[in-house]
Amino acid sequence: MIGAPTIPSDAACVAVYRRLRDGVPRSSSQIGYGYNLYPPARAVTDHLDVVLRACVQTGRIAEYGTHADAGDRELAASLAGAYLGVQVSGEQVVFTHGSTEAINIVTGFLAGCDTSLVLPMPCYYAFEQTTRRLGGEVAARYRYDGALATTGVDTERRALVEILPNGVTGTVFTRPELDVDFKVLDIVFQAGGSAQAAAKVVNQARDLVAGGLDTTAIMMTPAKDMCVPGLRTGILISGYPPLIAAAREEQFDRTASINPMIGQVVLLYLAVLLLADAERAGGMHAVEQAYAWIRDRFVEHEVVPVPTWETCFEIVGHLSEMATHFAHSFTLLNEHTNSLLETGDTLRPMAGYSLLPRVLAPLGDAEKVIAWVNDIGRRHHLKLNPMLLFGGDVSAWESLYPGQARLRVNLSVPHADLTASLKLLRYAHAEVSKRGSR
């Protein structure tokens, strides 16, 4: 009989999830979903149908890989480079199964290079979990104003992870003042906010990569902005050859090749981002010029199908409608919390659907917050996602956000569902408080 392997313990933010959901029905409603529930544009699904047919007709669906893969990468490099304002080559591009796979690849590579991470907090759990599982270390965590909480870990090198905008708060964090050897830029949301805010987000991304990609990894995913989380599509870009080589080896070992539709969805996303950026900067004339340039790049790299003008224009309009939906949800949140959750325009996400307001009711320490969330889930079938799920541990949260219980809110849900969930939260909290005072 062979022995069982030693499996590293879960990161604190993953371990607490099991406690929060213990005994909570899977069918419970939720306020803080971690994905976009706004319906995708019809143009997206129609284009996916065209893409699948093209993959069948060209034989890509029947092979592990074809010569067309290189064309997709070269085109992605051209479009991403234009959007980010930096030179990118096809050799610096890897398509991934969403940002989660990209995080897994990058954190595993850095762990093998004795490079610890400096993470924002809140943070997507995968940065913490894969780092722990793959033998890496977290040197420090930082909050919105750049303040640091160090862990005491001392490694030869450090990598700074920047999430733009933060995937939980929807805001841009101040970079902490410290020297690092590598940068990881996770571009989470680019749509869902006002035109002015979206411009600020993309300009921030351009500033961060202006010095080149030699010591930088960039990851992006269409899943959140284009409302297609189930497709698990992403792109990893880096000018550091050993990282890209490691990424290709990882994928070769696990999947042999990447689904050709992943690259096609990324290409559509990058085209839409360029058109939305052109519209913000110069109106319809600029959009027409941008589309002509994009179409020429598809032809140049022999990539089919080319998204039609109608497809792209409809998706850009759909993203604008999505931003309006999020804005109205934010208004409803401010109107229906009844002083239980923090409100105010400073919480408005710059892009995306997520925010993390404080709970104004006195809940006590972390253990009491966990008990409160679990009680509401068990008794009232309402799932809540407190700050403890989003990176770090209790000591890190107490250091950076002392005495501040917070809950994630998702603005992409139908408006009626949001107001109903907020009403249920108020009722459930009142009932929990009554039992606690007896």
Side-chain angles (χ1 to χ4, degrees):
M1 179 183 293
I2 62 172
T6 300
I7 300 175
S9 60
D10 286 329
C13 60
V14 175
V16 78
Y17 176 82
R18 308 184 199 287
R19 297 179 61 195
L20 292 167
R21 296 293 186 261
D22 181 36
V24 178
R26 292 178 61 88
S27 59
S28 299
S29 59
Q30 189 170 170
I31 292 178
Y33 294 95
Y35 58 95
N36 194 347
L37 281 82
Y38 194 73
R42 176 63 183 270
V44 170
T45 54
D46 287 348
H47 184 70
L48 289 174
D49 181 62
V50 174
V51 167
L52 180 57
R53 290 175 184 274
C55 287
V56 172
Q57 292 168 358
T58 59
R60 297 186 73 179
I61 206 72
E63 298 285 348
Y64 280 129
T66 70
H67 72 280
D69 298 346
D72 286 355
R73 290 194 299 271
E74 291 289 345
L75 177 56
S78 181
L79 299 182
Y83 187 65
L84 296 170
V86 66
Q87 189 69 35
V88 181
S89 73
E91 290 300 312
Q92 297 171 331
V93 169
V94 175
F95 295 124
T96 62
H97 295 91
S99 284
T100 301
E101 184 185 39
I103 291 169
N104 183 285
I105 290 169
V106 173
T107 53
F109 175 81
L110 293 173
C113 299
D114 193 30
T115 303
S116 58
L117 300 183
V118 179
L119 296 173
M121 205 168 76
C123 181
Y124 186 49
Y125 82 92
F127 282 103
E128 300 266 3
Q129 181 76 344
T130 59
T131 296
R132 176 178 291 249
R133 184 172 59 81
L134 298 173
E137 299 281 2
V138 176
R141 300 177 179 89
Y142 65 98
R143 68 185 181 196
Y144 58 90
D145 59 358
L148 279 168
T150 59
T151 64
V153 167
D154 184 21
T155 54
E156 184 177 350
R157 289 172 288 272
R158 290 182 298 191
L160 177 67
V161 175
E162 299 189 60
I163 303 176
L164 189 66
N166 186 278
V168 183
T169 68
T171 58
V172 173
F173 282 22
T174 297
R175 176 183 291 189
E177 295 183 2
L178 77 168
D179 295 328
V180 295
D181 304 281
F182 200 82
K183 292 182 296 182
V184 180
L185 178 58
D186 186 9
I187 302 178
V188 177
F189 306 116
Q190 295 289 277
S194 68
Q196 182 180 10
K200 186 173 182 180
V201 171
V202 68
N203 287 336
Q204 180 86 358
R206 290 167 181 167
D207 289 343
L208 291 173
V209 301
L213 303 176
D214 291 348
T215 57
T216 301
I218 302 170
M219 53 190 78
M220 302 175 69
T221 175
K224 293 179 173 64
D225 284 341
M226 293 184 70
C227 322
V228 287
L231 290 181
R232 310 307 299 158
T233 56
I235 183 173
L236 172 64
I237 304 169
S238 180
Y240 190 54
L243 171 57
I244 292 297
R248 298 202 196 288
E249 286 297 319
E250 282 276 329
Q251 289 189 335
F252 175 74
D253 288 348
R254 287 184 294 167
T255 65
S257 69
I258 199 79
N259 181 337
M261 294 191 68
I262 289 178
Q264 291 284 314
V265 176
V266 171
L267 294 174
L268 176 63
Y269 178 55
L270 292 171
V272 167
L273 290 183
L274 283 166
L275 294 176
D277 189 54
E279 183 179 44
R280 288 192 295 266
M284 187 54 63
H285 180 63
V287 174
E288 292 172 351
Q289 288 183 317
Y291 177 76
W293 182 86
I294 292 167
R295 182 189 57 214
D296 289 347
R297 299 291 77 73
F298 269 80
V299 173
E300 174 188 351
H301 295 291
E302 300 181 346
V303 174
V304 293
V306 181
T308 66
W309 163 259
E310 291 77 15
T311 293
C312 293
F313 191 70
E314 181 181 332
I315 297 172
V316 171
H318 187 80
L319 296 182
S320 179
E321 294 169 3
M322 183 176 72
T324 300
H325 177 91
F326 292 174
H328 185 56
S329 295
F330 186 79
T331 299
L332 292 173
L333 173 66
N334 283 297
E335 292 175 349
H336 291 271
T337 59
N338 280 20
S339 301
L340 181 57
L341 297 179
E342 176 187 13
T343 58
D345 203 59
T346 56
L347 290 170
R348 187 186 299 274
M350 296 181 65
Y353 49 77
S354 183
L355 64 156
L356 193 71
R358 288 182 295 124
V359 180
L360 300 180
L363 299 181
D365 61 18
E367 286 298 318
K368 291 181 179 177
V369 171
I370 293 169
W372 179 77
V373 169
N374 183 252
D375 199 8
I376 288 176
R378 282 172 176 261
R379 295 176 182 272
H380 301 281
H381 299 182
L382 176 63
K383 294 179 182 177
L384 302 177
N385 296 306
M387 70 291 180
L388 299 168
L389 288 173
F390 305 114
D393 53 21
V394 170
S395 63
W397 279 100
E398 278 302 311
S399 175
L400 292 176
Y401 300 90
Q404 297 181 18
R406 295 167 178 261
L407 293 179
R408 185 182 200 175
V409 176
N410 186 313
L411 302 178
S412 72
V413 298
H415 294 143
D417 291 357
L418 177 62
T419 55
S421 295
L422 290 170
K423 182 178 180 180
L424 178 57
L425 174 60
R426 296 194 304 271
Y427 172 78
H429 173 66
E431 290 297 302
V432 170
S433 298
K434 286 179 185 177
R435 287 196 303 275
S437 63
R438 290 172 186 166

